[in-house]
Amino acid sequence: MNDPKSYDGLSSFVFMLGVYAGVVPFISKLFGWEPDGPKRFLVAAARLPSPAWWIVSLLAIGAAFALLCWIDAAKKRRFPG
């Protein structure tokens, strides 16, 4: 990755994946919404039974947050200042 924008693009991808895999199941369960189409695969936690989808969604949010912190640290290490 020779450009800071490549780190930004990777961060955006991880953020959106974390939102779809972690936050959207909470919203879909709250409003009774069932995702369809290609997004159905990304919101797989919404189809799990009650205690499991909470755990999977929270793990997805935590993993996305950890990856975002790691990508940001790598960007700052590669491009200081």
Side-chain angles (χ1 to χ4, degrees), residues 1-51:
M1 293 199 198
N2 296 327
D3 187 20
K5 291 188 180 201
S6 59
Y7 285 97
D8 294 338
L10 184 60
S11 293
S12 298
F13 176 73
V14 169
F15 178 77
M16 290 306 297
L17 195 61
V19 167
Y20 269 109
V23 178
V24 171
F26 284 105
I27 295 170
S28 68
K29 292 284 186 174
L30 181 67
F31 293 113
W33 169 66
E34 186 67 31
D36 56 347
K39 292 180 276 192
R40 186 177 178 99
F41 174 73
L42 293 173
V43 191
R47 295 188 308 253
L48 293 173
S50 185

